[in-house]
Amino acid sequence: MQVLKKYFVFVLFAILAGCRSADVATQGGYDDMSTDYSEVNLGGRSNFRVGVLLPLSGSAAKQGQGLKNATMIALDDVRNPNLILQYYDTKSTPEGARVAIENALNQQSDLILGPLMSSEVKAISNQAIDKGVPVIAFSTNTDVLQSNIYTLGLLIDEQIGRVMSFAVAKGRSKFALLVPDNSTGVAVAKAAVKFAQRNNVQVVRIGFYPPETTDFSDVLKKMTDYPARVARLQKIRTSMAAKSANGDTNAAKVLKRLEPLDTLGDVDFDAVIIPEYGPRLKSAASMFGYYDVFSPKVKFLGTSIWENTSLNKETTLFGSWYPAMSRSHSAYFSNKYNDYFGERPNTLYSFAYDGVALASALSKQDKDNLTEAITDPDGYIGINGVFRLYMDGRNEHSLDIVEVRSTGDVVVDAAPKRFETSVMADSSKPLEIDSLYRAPLIFGKDRTTAQTLIYGHPLSPENQPEAYISFEQEQEITRDALAKLNIRVPN
């Protein structure tokens, strides 16, 4: 295992404690293309220019201003007199982004930091590539990434890989997904099936739901085989009731043992991933309970957006796991942001801090070899822990695994402090599907459409899941379910 690269992109706490606010020189105004532009540095001789493209007006102005605030804190901390930040307003639109990148390139930017939204990234890519200026954006959409167009945004692939890997290490092997019927849901599904195939585990069921719904009853009723599990119990009860009426005392005892049950037989998954937050997350978790699926028999797993929801009163989710940015140093950034701007920062803003700190490290490199420095496999240390960027634009962060508890969320598996020298598998490459592969059952969406989105094409008949349960299989399921309850049914 190789030691992490020597560039430290945050200042150690002892040094930070002694830092005072920088006396920053600011110039501002409008250029002849009507794009807001301002320039900030620490008053030194600046020779590494970073064009910071942010939505400072328009629909994403709040996020844009938060990102800008974070860059100012980073500039104060890195204390690099050769680093200059040039701000350009993308106006939250692709058109604004195109004007912004043109101005940034005209102002001799050596590096572009931003934009935020994927539509903006797509809009600026050709101009930046033509000029050979690297872009480090904040988008989480991998479709807009390519050579020279990178992102620091936390990607779905690494979140799903981290939480599934931890769950597998804890003995889970059959996964279900409850995902929104949108690009996020498809991204989660693609990441999960790829991880499963590469790690010899299974994704057995995927349920899609309308993105804005809080009613998960229909899709979960089907996903959990609730009617079949209820019918299985009712069939045994009917049989035992008839035997008991004929004086079979053993049957009467079985009936008594069955009284507390609502269903008979387990679902065929032992973990379920729910990439939701807020009321939808809480509603989905409680609806699983309504259909007789509970933790810890089935472990609930999330993504980093679970951090946006207070879960310490959601008993259904106690013991659940989700990935999060490393908390080792993030408290420093959050506290300093709050001191300067009077509010706690969104996690998103910390990526802008790391972006400026990375730019400071890159400013010490030969400008003709920026790509090599950006994609150093040893990575960098940031306020969110270690991270590295790949040639195809993707990134990898070092993520904590957090467990939901009544006393508050607790880190149960801390983010690694350095990377292995090997790199993450390229998630953009399609999987090779052999004749033994069985696709997950699909609920809430046309199967052919879903498979095309997940695999890139519909799967052949030999790869389709077994949806039909034979009489013999049903009998075996019933026997196994009763055996787990230590119930012996009289002949």
Side-chain angles (χ1 to χ4, degrees):
M1 186 180 290
Q2 193 171 343
V3 177
L4 191 72
K5 193 165 181 63
K6 54 185 174 294
Y7 306 131
F8 284 80
V9 299
F10 68 90
V11 184
L12 297 177
F13 284 95
I15 299 174
L16 287 171
C19 284
R20 62 181 177 83
S21 295
D23 296 324
V24 295
T26 304
Q27 300 173 344
Y30 298 93
D31 62 18
D32 57 5
M33 298 196 71
S34 301
T35 294
D36 294 342
Y37 161 73
S38 61
E39 180 178 290
V40 180
N41 76 326
L42 295 181
R45 181 183 176 186
S46 302
N47 59 12
F48 191 82
R49 292 178 172 269
V50 179
V52 186
L53 276 59
L54 297 173
L56 301 176
S57 62
S59 60
K62 180 179 179 180
Q63 292 85 350
Q65 187 59 54
L67 290 163
K68 182 178 181 180
N69 293 343
T71 66
M72 299 291 287
I73 293 176
L75 190 65
D76 184 19
D77 283 352
V78 298
R79 309 294 292 178
N80 184 347
N82 296 319
L83 180 66
I84 183 168
L85 304 184
Q86 304 170 162
Y87 295 89
Y88 303 88
D89 182 12
T90 66
K91 304 184 187 298
S92 304
T93 66
E95 294 76 14
R98 276 189 283 269
V99 174
I101 187 63
E102 185 168 343
N103 289 331
L105 296 173
N106 287 340
Q107 293 286 336
Q108 305 303 310
S109 293
D110 299 301
L111 178 74
I112 300 298
L113 191 60
L116 172 59
M117 294 177 287
S118 60
S119 59
E120 296 175 330
V121 178
K122 186 176 181 181
I124 73 165
S125 295
N126 288 342
Q127 289 170 279
I129 291 173
D130 288 345
K131 293 292 185 179
V133 177
V135 173
I136 301 178
F138 305 117
S139 172
T140 58
N141 185 349
T142 57
D143 291 342
V144 299
L145 304 180
Q146 55 183 303
S147 179
N148 218 51
I149 308 296
Y150 310 93
T151 187
L152 283 176
L154 184 56
L155 303 179
I156 288 292
D157 279 18
E158 62 176 321
Q159 296 182 60
I160 297 302
R162 178 71 167 107
V163 74
M164 288 182 72
S165 180
F166 183 76
V168 169
K170 296 298 182 180
R172 309 289 163 159
S173 62
K174 294 186 176 181
F175 295 82
L177 314 175
L178 180 64
V179 298
D181 191 1
N182 57 18
S183 59
T184 297
V186 171
V188 169
K190 290 171 70 174
V193 297
K194 287 180 179 180
F195 175 91
Q197 188 164 351
R198 287 171 176 148
N199 292 274
N200 199 31
V201 293
Q202 293 178 276
V203 174
V204 295
R205 293 172 183 247
I206 304 176
F208 290 90
Y209 58 85
E212 300 304 318
T213 192
T214 55
D215 181 4
F216 300 91
S217 56
D218 184 58
V219 66
L220 288 186
K221 184 177 182 179
K222 296 172 183 175
M223 270 186 71
T224 60
D225 283 337
Y226 185 73
R229 293 159 64 221
V230 169
R232 189 177 299 131
L233 176 63
Q234 186 56 47
K235 184 176 180 180
I236 291 293
R237 279 178 171 161
T238 300
S239 174
M240 293 302 102
K243 292 178 184 296
S244 177
N246 290 328
D248 189 327
T249 57
N250 287 334
K253 291 177 182 179
V254 170
L255 272 177
K256 188 69 175 176
R257 293 282 306 280
L258 295 175
E259 280 182 4
L261 303 183
D262 295 316
T263 61
L264 184 62
D266 296 328
V267 292
D268 61 356
F269 51 90
D270 54 23
V272 59
I273 299 174
I274 311 174
E276 268 295 357
Y277 69 101
R280 281 191 290 276
L281 171 58
K282 296 177 180 180
S283 177
S286 63
M287 191 57 64
F288 269 104
Y290 181 82
Y291 290 122
D292 210 25
V293 176
F294 296 98
S295 179
K297 186 172 288 186
V298 172
K299 182 67 71 172
F300 291 96
L301 310 175
T303 58
S304 64
I305 60 172
W306 278 28
E307 276 204 304
N308 298 327
T309 306
S310 177
L311 299 173
N312 63 336
K313 294 182 180 179
E314 302 301 315
T315 56
T316 304
L317 291 171
F318 288 174
S320 300
W321 300 317
Y322 66 90
M325 301 302 299
S326 173
R327 298 182 177 184
S328 298
H329 304 287
S330 58
Y332 158 75
F333 170 72
S334 181
N335 290 336
K336 187 166 185 177
Y337 190 101
N338 186 59
D339 289 344
Y340 278 30
F341 303 108
E343 62 180 7
R344 291 288 171 183
N346 187 302
T347 302
L348 168 68
Y349 304 162
S350 63
F351 295 120
Y353 183 106
D354 281 355
V356 171
L358 174 59
S360 182
L362 295 175
S363 72
K364 302 175 177 67
Q365 304 301 301
D366 182 348
K367 291 182 183 180
D368 293 331
N369 294 315
L370 283 184
T371 297
E372 183 178 349
I374 289 170
T375 58
D376 189 302
D378 291 339
Y380 297 88
I381 304 174
I383 208 70
N384 290 315
V386 295
F387 66 92
R388 59 184 171 186
L389 299 168
Y390 293 106
M391 288 294 294
D392 63 0
R394 296 175 307 127
N395 66 62
E396 185 177 4
H397 291 88
S398 182
L399 302 178
D400 288 334
I401 290 293
V402 180
E403 183 173 287
V404 178
R405 298 180 182 175
S406 60
T407 53
D409 293 358
V410 176
V411 175
V412 292
D413 190 48
K417 297 185 183 301
R418 59 183 182 178
F419 288 120
E420 300 285 352
T421 53
S422 62
V423 298
M424 187 168 56
D426 186 355
S427 63
S428 66
K429 294 181 179 179
L431 289 175
E432 294 183 5
I433 306 298
D434 60 32
S435 60
L436 299 179
Y437 180 77
R438 287 292 177 270
L441 288 166
I442 301 294
F443 303 88
K445 192 175 185 69
D446 174 71
R447 185 178 70 183
T448 299
T449 301
Q451 288 182 353
T452 300
L453 290 170
I454 295 169
Y455 299 95
H457 54 80
L459 298 187
S460 63
E462 63 186 4
N463 298 128
Q464 299 305 333
E466 296 283 351
Y468 172 74
I469 298 177
S470 68
F471 175 80
E472 291 76 14
Q473 289 174 317
E474 177 63 30
Q475 292 292 96
E476 184 178 356
I477 291 171
T478 301
R479 285 194 299 270
D480 288 347
L482 292 170
K484 288 178 182 179
L485 296 170
N486 200 26
I487 295 176
R488 184 171 181 177
V489 175
N491 293 328

